[in-house]
Amino acid sequence: MAKKENKFKNYDITTQAVHTGTDYDEGTGAVRRPLHMANSYKLPDDLSTVNYSSTDLLMYSRNGNPNQHWLEEKIAALYNADDAIVLASGVAALHALFWTLLKSGDRVVYPNVSYMAVYRMFHELFNKKFNVETVMVDMTDLEAVKKAVTPGTKLVHIETPDNPTLGVTDIEAVAKIAHENGAILSVDNTFASPLNQQPLELGADFVVDALTKFINGHGDAQGGAIISNDLKTMDRIRYEAQVNVGSVISPFNAWQIFRGSVTFPLRMQRINESAQKIAEWLERRENVTFVSYPGLKSNSGYEVAKRQMKNGYGGVISFGVNADDKTVERICAELKVVTFAVSLGHDESLIFPQPSYDERINLYPEKFRNGFIRFSVGLEDVNDIIADLNQALLALGL
Ligand SMILES: *Cc1c(COP(=O)(O)O)cnc(C)c1O
């Protein structure tokens, strides 16, 4: 596909979020573009011109649909990038990237703390099914990264801040190590979001963002994006993973996420501010054993985060309490404003305990192995959120 056009390139990200990818509807003059739920589109009279694997021609919804394409313009704009591909979920985007880039015999270096599906893909699927050499490393330790990334490594994948411990990886430093060894660098930017972190500017080749989270922001649609300036590889991803594996997003979800994305920069500013206040409050609160948030000066990732993040440090905070798994569950169930559910980046605050029997618990730094809770800050009044956390802790004697 051609480089995405962005008429609003020179405007602030808030203006781009409102205007990029939308226009008057050609048929009706409506000020909103329509939702096209069609599977098929009219074929040209001369079929000899049709390439059935094309993602440019509107022919069949899996090859691409208008709502997907408009959302792709928006996501490319938010990342100041030449191209974006929007697929059915964040994991579909991660898989599409790995599936396209890797082949049997390749070496990939991936983080010891990452989104669960990345761990599964590299710890048990790509290695065992396809004979990809997968090497797990602590990405916050640059000396360890240097050792793991050997010449000829195909891909280095990082996530920063990481899910669920909020560890911070130095994107610029890892990009340098990857490129010196001929490797590609991909960055999962979901936790930071494009308002706070722009990995392509720091040397990444590909960015993945789970649109399900902050960019949609309303907890009602799943989607994921791959963002890059490498147009040739992006077209390979469309061909190999979208058209021929089938991970395209539904037009309805693309439409829904497009709508959510309009207010993304405003919501994220608010979430940044609230999260900083809540993290500082948790740090002061007795009976909280640790707080992991890149915006806290006490955090080991603070200096790197300060350098590579702007506007704020995102909406997820991990913290600990000195309590067993059952008590932690009861704290979560006691909350009245905060919702007890998985996921993050919604309008409502979400809380999710990370139990000590999690199969990956020993991969996390020591302090995370007991009473570990992941908290996603929502749009409620910050004092209401803090009061709610406080009453739930008090209710369990903490
Ligand atoms: C949620 C998440 C994903 C996956 O997104 P889905 O839409 O749930 O598939 C990937 N990476 C990170 C960091 C996430 O938090």
Side-chain angles (χ1 to χ4, degrees), residues 227-264:
I227 302 103
S228 178
N229 295 321
D230 178 350
L231 298 181
K232 242 174 103 179
T233 308
M234 291 293 269
D235 276 347
R236 265 184 59 213
I237 297 170
R238 288 187 167 93
Y239 176 77
E240 294 186 26
Q242 179 183 314
V243 178
N244 290 308
V245 175
S247 52
V248 74
I249 191 166
S250 94
F252 181 74
N253 282 6
W255 179 84
Q256 188 92 321
I257 295 169
F258 191 95
R259 190 181 204 269
S261 70
V262 170
T263 54
F264 153 71

Side-chain angles (χ1 to χ4, degrees), residues 17-18 215-216 218 258-268:
V18 173
I215 290 186
N216 180 50
H218 293 76
F258 191 95
R259 190 181 204 269
S261 70
V262 170
T263 54
F264 153 71
L266 289 177
R267 286 185 286 101
M268 205 65 213

